[in-house]
Amino acid sequence: MNLRVLGLTLLLGSTTALAVDRKPAVEDFVGIEVNEPAATPQGTEPLFNLEHDLNKMNEAQVRASHKKAPVFRPEAPSMGVSGYLVVVAILGMPMVSSFLILNHLRQKAKAESHSNIEVLEKYRKQKELARAKDEQKKAS
């Protein structure tokens, strides 16, 4: 009983000791800091000539319309020899593993059958010797 009370006390004491040192993950702020960009003084703003840009865009569109549109012909992605080897290796893995497992099981069964045959031959020889002894006892 004392051991249970001691264990419970240690468990509660350790959890409260660890909880005392916990602090929030994010520092709390009192207010919001706003960084306002400095305004550019009037009269110093850069001027843009949008008409010049529009002329360039129109010329590019005219050049693009004169070119023949490329015909989209979907092609099958070409795999090199290494790609085919990877596919064959992945698809061949189950067959190779099953062949190896079956080969191992065949060898194991063959070894067991050889040992069983040897045990059977020994048993037959012992039976024949026992019969021969019985026949000798019956004959005499």
Side-chain angles (χ1 to χ4, degrees):
M1 184 70 177
N2 290 337
L3 188 61
R4 289 181 188 169
V5 172
L6 177 66
L8 187 61
T9 307
L10 288 175
L11 182 67
L12 291 174
S14 65
T15 55
T16 54
L18 291 173
V20 169
D21 292 336
R22 288 188 53 128
K23 294 180 181 168
V26 180
E27 295 292 329
D28 52 343
F29 292 105
V30 177
I32 299 174
E33 296 179 21
V34 178
N35 294 330
E36 292 183 18
T40 344
Q42 279 189 336
T44 60
E45 301 95 0
L47 301 175
F48 296 103
N49 185 0
L50 297 178
E51 187 176 329
H52 181 65
D53 294 337
L54 288 174
N55 289 338
K56 282 184 180 179
M57 287 173 39
N58 287 338
E59 288 174 8
Q61 286 178 353
V62 168
R63 274 189 258 131
S65 66
H66 289 307
K67 292 181 181 178
K68 289 185 179 178
V71 178
F72 178 70
R73 293 184 184 137
E75 296 179 11
S78 61
M79 289 194 309
V81 175
S82 62
Y84 286 116
L85 288 176
V86 168
V87 170
V88 168
I90 290 173
L91 294 177
M93 283 288 225
M95 291 186 291
V96 170
S97 62
S98 64
F99 173 74
L100 291 174
I101 291 170
L102 290 176
N103 191 21
H104 175 70
L105 291 176
R106 280 190 207 119
Q107 289 176 354
K108 189 176 178 182
K110 194 180 287 186
E112 286 179 3
S113 68
H114 285 303
S115 65
N116 288 342
I117 290 172
E118 291 173 3
V119 170
L120 185 60
E121 287 177 1
K122 288 179 184 177
Y123 178 73
R124 285 181 183 163
K125 286 180 184 177
Q126 289 174 355
K127 267 264 198 190
E128 287 177 14
L129 289 174
R131 279 187 190 160
K133 287 181 182 179
D134 286 341
E135 288 178 12
Q136 285 178 357
K137 287 181 184 177
K138 288 181 184 178
S140 51

